[in-house]
Structure formats: structure tokens, C-alpha cells
Amino acid sequence: MAEIKTCSRCKKLFSYLGGKRICPECKNNEEKIFDDVKEYIRDNPKANFKQIHQDLGVSPKLLEEFIASGRLVLSSSSPLTLTCQICGESIKRGRVCEKCNTGMINELNGINQKTEQPKKTEVKQTGGMFSRR
């Protein structure tokens, strides 16, 4: 069932069905901005955040959101970078670098292995019946 929420962009009420908390109109505007940014970067591969902001009027925060979400894929030669939220290394996509991501995965796997150890159950046959100890 849909909830009524306030759009985080325009502050209008809308029927929220999931995902980002923005109304359909703002979502459509954001999609247009995304397409414009994608085309701009394709035509201007050396553009930085400041140039994109000046030429398109797109906020650096929204640009970072496009990159962090993985929607906007950057070439290795692009001057646009984000910062790993754990170690501070420069990255081209996502929120954490590969090293930190691998470390988190290994840590979670270690936690899962500790919690998923099977319990040993001893079964003893007594007079045609089975009982557990």
C-alpha cells in the first residue's frame, strides 16, 4: 500500500511506492538531468565537477549521487572522482574502494561462519525408539 510522503526536492506531497523519496515530477526532472550529464561527459571527457555545474547548473551533490549509485560510469581518464567513505582513497564509482569492499566482505563472511556452525546432535537408539541427547 502506498504511503503519503513529502518530496525531498520540491516539498510536495505524493504517493510513495518505494525508492528515492522524490515525487514523480522531480524523478522525471532528475532523469533528464542524468541524460544531460551523461551526454555532456561523453562530449567533454575531461570535464570536472565545477565545469559541469557551471555549464549545466547541476549540483555537485547530485553528480556525486549519480556516480556513487553506479549509474554514471566514468572512464579511468576522467578527472571526476569520489572519496572512499572508509579510507579516503579516490574512487570512480560506488561509496567504498575495492580494498575496503573486500575487507568488509571478508569480515562479514567471518561473522557468518561463526554464527552458522551446525550443532552436533547425538542420537541414541533405545529399545526400538530413538531419543536425542
Side-chain angles (χ1 to χ4, degrees):
M1 186 171 153
E3 298 177 56
I4 302 298
K5 297 280 183 185
T6 302
C7 176
S8 62
R9 300 266 199 281
C10 68
K11 308 303 180 207
K12 292 180 188 173
L13 294 177
F14 73 103
S15 182
Y16 176 72
L17 300 172
K20 285 177 94 174
R21 292 187 178 200
I22 58 175
C23 70
E25 185 177 334
C26 288
K27 184 173 181 152
N28 289 338
N29 289 338
E30 190 174 287
E31 288 304 310
K32 169 125 178 43
I33 292 169
F34 174 79
D35 291 339
D36 292 346
V37 168
K38 187 176 172 182
E39 185 176 324
Y40 183 89
I41 290 174
R42 190 178 310 129
D43 295 342
N44 304 280
K46 300 293 182 190
N48 60 30
F49 284 104
K50 185 177 180 180
Q51 289 171 304
I52 296 169
H53 173 68
Q54 288 174 340
D55 292 347
L56 299 179
V58 178
S59 75
K61 182 178 177 183
L62 186 57
L63 287 171
E64 289 174 3
E65 198 176 301
F66 289 154
I67 297 166
S69 69
R71 291 186 64 204
L72 189 60
V73 179
L74 304 172
S75 69
S76 59
S77 63
S78 175
L80 299 175
T81 60
L82 299 178
T83 303
C84 174
Q85 293 181 351
I86 296 173
C87 72
E89 181 180 320
S90 290
I91 55 177
K92 294 285 185 184
R93 64 181 169 85
R95 301 191 188 286
V96 295
C97 68
E98 288 297 320
K99 181 180 174 185
C100 291
N101 189 48
T102 301
M104 287 189 304
I105 289 170
N106 290 339
E107 189 174 324
L108 288 172
N109 284 338
I111 291 169
N112 285 339
Q113 288 174 355
K114 288 178 184 177
T115 60
E116 292 179 359
Q117 292 179 359
K119 294 180 181 178
K120 293 182 181 178
T121 305
E122 185 179 315
V123 178
K124 176 181 165 186
Q125 185 175 4
T126 57
M129 302 195 61
F130 291 93
S131 63
R132 290 182 185 236
R133 281 191 177 182

